[in-house]
Amino acid sequence: MKTYLLIIFTASSIFLTSEAEEFDLPLVLDATGVSACIQVCLSDLFYSAVELVHLQDPVQRFSNVCRKYDEASICVAKEKFCLQSTIFEIALSGIDEVCNERGEDIMQYKDCLETQSEIVLKNCDRECYFTDVLVTLSGKGNAKELQRLQNKTKDLQKELASLCVTFGCMSSCMARDFNINCSPVGTMIVKALLKPFFTFSSIFDEIGPRAKLSVYRQVPPQCYYLVDFQEVEGITFGKPPTKKMSKSPEEAVLNEITRKEEMKKKKKAELEKQFMMDVQKGSLHLVEKNKHR
């Protein structure tokens, strides 16, 4: 569950608006179980990401985030005995994707992003209460809250539920609004930032239902969508996560299996239909050809 928190907070740091001045980074990192050797490497990167949208020209400052990410990567690589380096790589793979894999593609829309970024972020934050949830959970005015939650699984699940709801709302809203104004960069950015969840969902789909069931038993139903490939993919096109929730982890897995079976049947039916149409076209073509002999 703490790994979930780390990954969500990592992606969330890019979304934070200028109202998030009380976001307490050290407290968040402590609560997510990040060891000291990783915290040293992450601090500058996280603060740089938060500053990205505090400033008037967020796009111009984006290169600084990428530079801090490269520095953090080198820092972690030097910590040979730090057991959480793999978690770091997965959690920050979204930022790596934005900076190194898709950076040039995204920067093709630089002019549009420069005029729209602050507007989109603030509008989506207003719609999703994103900053409010994060500040309530980690704000300096509530400094002991996350530390208390570390040892109380039920309370942590409640807070994680709120975080998952607002995160899904914020990320899908960003994809939607950026696509409206700067298409298709909204999908490009959000898909890159959600890479950790694409990775997890693919792994769990490959391993099978038991693996996903073990995850569902650790997180609230509001977070199930984060390990559902179709749900995560939908977010990148501006579609909010499905609000319908299963009553239990077992029901959630069963529903997914049923849905996938239905999709397979539908796809099979479509292929069979296409095959029959091709056969009919071929037969008609043969008949016409014989007529002209």
Side-chain angles (χ1 to χ4, degrees):
M1 191 186 303
K2 290 181 178 180
T3 302
Y4 251 64
L5 268 175
L6 173 61
I7 295 173
I8 294 175
F9 274 125
T10 300
S12 298
S13 65
I14 296 293
F15 300 164
L16 285 170
T17 63
S18 56
E19 284 76 15
E21 295 177 356
E22 294 190 350
F23 186 75
D24 194 330
L25 176 63
L27 186 61
V28 169
L29 295 179
D30 282 340
T32 54
V34 176
S35 58
C37 61
I38 294 290
Q39 286 196 36
V40 172
C41 300
L42 286 181
S43 295
D44 286 348
L45 171 63
F46 271 58
Y47 282 126
S48 178
V50 173
E51 287 176 1
L52 177 68
V53 288
H54 282 186
L55 302 169
Q56 291 182 340
D57 301 309
V59 176
Q60 291 184 11
R61 308 289 177 170
F62 185 75
S63 59
N64 187 48
V65 174
C66 294
R67 182 169 58 82
K68 293 296 183 183
Y69 167 75
D70 290 337
E71 291 175 0
S73 299
I74 294 171
C75 176
V76 172
K78 290 179 179 178
E79 298 289 344
K80 297 180 181 179
F81 302 103
C82 190
L83 299 177
Q84 291 183 320
S85 58
T86 301
I87 294 177
F88 165 85
E89 291 174 3
I90 295 175
L92 272 73
S93 61
I95 296 180
D96 178 68
E97 187 80 3
V98 173
C99 291
N100 299 323
E101 300 298 327
R102 301 304 303 273
E104 290 185 6
D105 296 334
I106 292 171
M107 283 300 103
Q108 291 179 17
Y109 302 89
K110 179 181 177 182
D111 292 342
C112 185
L113 288 171
E114 284 180 341
T115 60
Q116 296 296 325
S117 292
E118 194 74 15
I119 297 171
V120 169
L121 285 167
K122 286 185 176 180
N123 286 344
C124 289
D125 186 54
R126 196 176 298 114
E127 179 179 325
C128 302
Y129 304 100
F130 183 74
T131 300
D132 289 344
V133 171
L134 281 182
V135 171
T136 298
L137 185 59
S138 66
K140 290 179 180 176
N142 197 17
K144 295 182 179 180
E145 183 63 13
L146 273 177
Q147 292 174 337
R148 180 185 67 80
L149 291 173
Q150 287 186 74
N151 300 317
K152 296 195 175 183
T153 303
K154 287 185 178 180
D155 289 344
L156 182 57
Q157 278 207 341
K158 289 180 182 178
E159 298 296 342
L160 187 56
S162 298
L163 184 57
C164 286
V165 170
T166 191
F167 179 76
C169 176
M170 185 73 177
S171 51
S172 60
C173 178
M174 279 183 57
R176 180 196 69 207
D177 286 6
F178 273 129
N179 279 347
I180 290 173
N181 297 288
C182 311
S183 181
V185 77
T187 295
M188 292 167 63
I189 292 173
V190 174
K191 190 170 187 177
L193 289 174
L194 295 185
K195 184 177 179 179
F197 301 108
F198 278 110
T199 300
F200 278 132
S201 60
S202 297
I203 290 173
F204 291 132
D205 283 344
E206 189 69 26
I207 295 174
R210 288 186 179 181
K212 192 165 284 189
L213 184 60
S214 67
V215 175
Y216 285 169
R217 285 173 174 166
Q218 297 180 57
V219 299
Q222 292 88 343
C223 300
Y224 289 175
Y225 74 90
L226 289 171
V227 287
D228 186 320
F229 191 93
Q230 288 184 317
E231 289 276 7
V232 177
E233 189 171 45
I235 289 173
T236 68
F237 291 99
K239 180 183 177 183
T242 303
K243 291 184 178 180
K244 183 180 179 181
M245 290 181 292
S246 303
K247 295 179 181 178
S248 67
E250 290 77 12
E251 182 182 334
V253 171
L254 181 60
N255 288 341
E256 281 191 39
I257 293 173
T258 302
R259 187 188 67 195
K260 288 180 180 179
E261 288 298 322
E262 289 175 350
M263 288 180 63
K264 285 181 181 179
K265 290 179 181 179
K266 183 179 179 181
K267 188 173 182 179
K268 182 181 178 182
E270 290 174 351
L271 289 172
E272 289 176 347
K273 183 179 179 180
Q274 185 63 47
F275 175 75
M276 293 304 298
M277 289 174 63
D278 291 342
V279 169
Q280 289 176 357
K281 287 180 181 178
S283 299
L284 289 172
H285 178 72
L286 186 60
V287 170
E288 290 295 324
K289 188 176 181 180
N290 289 332
K291 281 183 180 179
H292 292 87
R293 281 184 176 179

